[in-house]
Amino acid sequence: MPQKKISHDVILTILYHFTRLVMAGVFIYASIDKIIHPDLFAEAVYNYQVLPGYLVNLTALILPWLELTLGTCLLINRWMAGASALAAMLMALFVGLIIFNLARGLDISCGCFSTAPDEDPVTFLTLARDLVLLCLAWCLAGLTLYQNIRRYQPE
Amino acid sequence: MTVSSRPGQHFTNTARQAVFILMISLFVGAAVNLIRPDSIPFVDSWSMAEKLATENGGTMAISLSEAATLFEKDAAVFLDARSPAEYDQGHIQGAVNLPWHEVDNYFETVIMALDPEAMTITYCDGEACTLSHDLAALLKDLGFTRVKVLVNGWTLWQERQLPTNAPSS
């Protein structure tokens, strides 16, 4: 029995670090082009047509840094509770927005990893990719919760 | 640490760390935008009407009914700023495809053949589609005198069931 428990823990730890590093890479990579081109990213945000005009630039200025900051937290394994929860919420938001705009039939660029207007159109493939990332993000948030709770357990 | 406080502790940590991360992002994002040379305004209006405003207070936008009247009289050239693939799926009858993203490739074949004095109406698809006014702005710079933008043109044109060229199958 103890052996089984150990292997179970090892798998969870590996899964935790795997999802942590994947999500770190995704968020950091996604932030870079947006930080370099705030004007183009603002256009991508505007094209989603969900925010009032006065919030478009603010979102375009803050969101990439949020992605970079939480990606860095995930990478260095610090503030994992907050970073993993934010990652899970952001991914849920992104998936929601993609579904919303696919349903509306809006032909827009994703602005997910690149700000170039015609490089990254929103398709069902985008949705599939983001659903996988959403699963990983939720998995990571769950594993972080599990680890934090276990840490306080006696023995 | 009591057993019952463990999940509570985790959620307090989560909230506190999330607020920290948000505040760092807010601060760094704002600070970087203040010092970088190519900064953007923190608040911008992003309204379509403003984007289409001309220097002398007029607008480049044209209403669907005006455009339809010009179409009936054959008094305007319609330019489709969307991609060739979208154009092939259907377009305003007689419209010329001038994809904004490949505009350089069409310079000699399409733009040089146009009459800069003629009424020219650009369109693409969707309220927020900016291809048509990017194209209109370029044409104006090139010396076209009567350029108009039919905002959300393809959708409106179809809704009004005006003449189109269906996909060539």
Side-chain angles (χ1 to χ4, degrees):
Chain A
M1 277 317 254
Q3 240 180 1
K4 205 167 187 185
K5 186 155 172 31
I6 288 167
S7 69
H8 183 71
D9 277 356
V10 169
I11 291 170
L12 286 184
T13 307
I14 291 173
L15 196 61
Y16 167 79
H17 288 298
F18 173 74
T19 50
R20 178 175 71 78
L21 292 173
V22 170
M23 291 315 295
V26 166
F27 275 109
I28 292 172
Y29 174 62
S31 70
I32 293 169
D33 199 36
K34 298 172 194 164
I35 287 175
I36 298 174
H37 303 291
D39 49 338
L40 291 179
F41 184 52
E43 199 137 313
V45 172
Y46 170 72
N47 286 342
Y48 270 85
Q49 294 180 51
V50 286
L51 283 175
Y54 59 90
L55 285 181
V56 168
N57 278 15
L58 278 176
T59 308
L61 287 171
I62 306 304
L63 185 62
W65 286 98
L66 177 60
E67 291 180 331
L68 184 64
T69 313
L70 77 87
T72 309
C73 288
L74 296 179
L75 184 68
I76 61 176
N77 209 6
R78 295 284 294 180
W79 289 354
M80 280 303 292
S84 65
L86 278 175
M89 282 191 277
L90 269 186
M91 281 316 303
L93 179 72
F94 294 157
V95 167
L97 286 173
I98 287 173
I99 292 175
F100 181 58
N101 271 341
L102 279 175
R104 280 202 293 185
L106 222 59
D107 175 26
I108 58 169
S109 110
C110 179
C112 303
F113 292 102
S114 157
T115 52
D118 47 350
E119 203 155 283
D120 201 8
V122 170
T123 60
F124 282 98
L125 226 70
T126 320
L127 180 60
R129 178 192 70 196
D130 274 30
L131 280 172
V132 172
L133 293 176
L134 176 67
C135 287
L136 287 179
W138 280 89
C139 189
L140 178 61
L143 286 166
T144 309
L145 170 68
Y146 175 76
Q147 285 208 336
N148 277 354
I149 288 178
R150 269 187 46 126
R151 201 175 295 162
Y152 295 112
Q153 248 170 16
E155 2 154 63
Chain B
M1 186 70 51
T2 60
V3 173
S4 62
S5 74
R6 275 184 251 128
Q9 180 73 35
H10 176 82
F11 290 117
T12 316
N13 282 344
T14 305
R16 203 178 52 218
Q17 292 168 3
V19 169
F20 278 151
I21 293 172
L22 282 169
M23 279 171 59
I24 291 173
S25 318
L26 200 76
F27 181 76
V28 179
V32 169
N33 191 53
L34 282 174
I35 54 174
R36 69 189 296 166
D38 56 342
S39 64
I40 61 172
F42 284 95
V43 177
D44 210 348
S45 71
W46 284 99
S47 88
M48 197 53 77
E50 213 157 291
K51 279 191 167 189
L52 288 171
T54 54
E55 281 156 23
N56 52 25
T59 176
M60 291 215 302
I62 188 171
S63 71
L64 179 64
S65 48
E66 280 177 88
T69 313
L70 289 169
F71 175 85
E72 277 162 28
K73 293 188 195 156
D74 203 9
V77 179
F78 284 80
L79 294 180
D80 190 320
R82 300 171 303 156
S83 69
E86 287 168 303
Y87 175 85
D88 287 342
Q89 303 228 320
H91 50 263
I92 293 179
Q93 199 174 77
V96 178
N97 191 202
L98 187 47
W100 171 245
H101 291 312
E102 304 165 45
V103 76
D104 291 344
N105 303 339
Y106 286 74
F107 206 89
E108 287 192 0
T109 49
V110 178
I111 298 184
M112 299 298 269
L114 294 170
D115 174 8
E117 304 290 323
M119 183 57 152
T120 309
I121 300 174
T122 66
Y123 72 92
C124 52
D125 193 19
E127 239 3 285
C129 173
T130 52
L131 305 173
S132 51
H133 31 294
D134 290 337
L135 180 60
L138 173 76
L139 292 175
K140 280 215 141 171
D141 286 346
L142 290 174
F144 283 67
T145 48
R146 297 155 71 205
V147 188
K148 291 282 179 189
V149 176
L150 181 58
V151 177
N152 198 12
W154 177 233
T155 300
L156 293 179
W157 198 266
Q158 284 174 297
E159 277 173 8
R160 193 69 77 81
Q161 298 183 333
L162 291 160
T164 60
N165 287 122
S168 42
S169 50

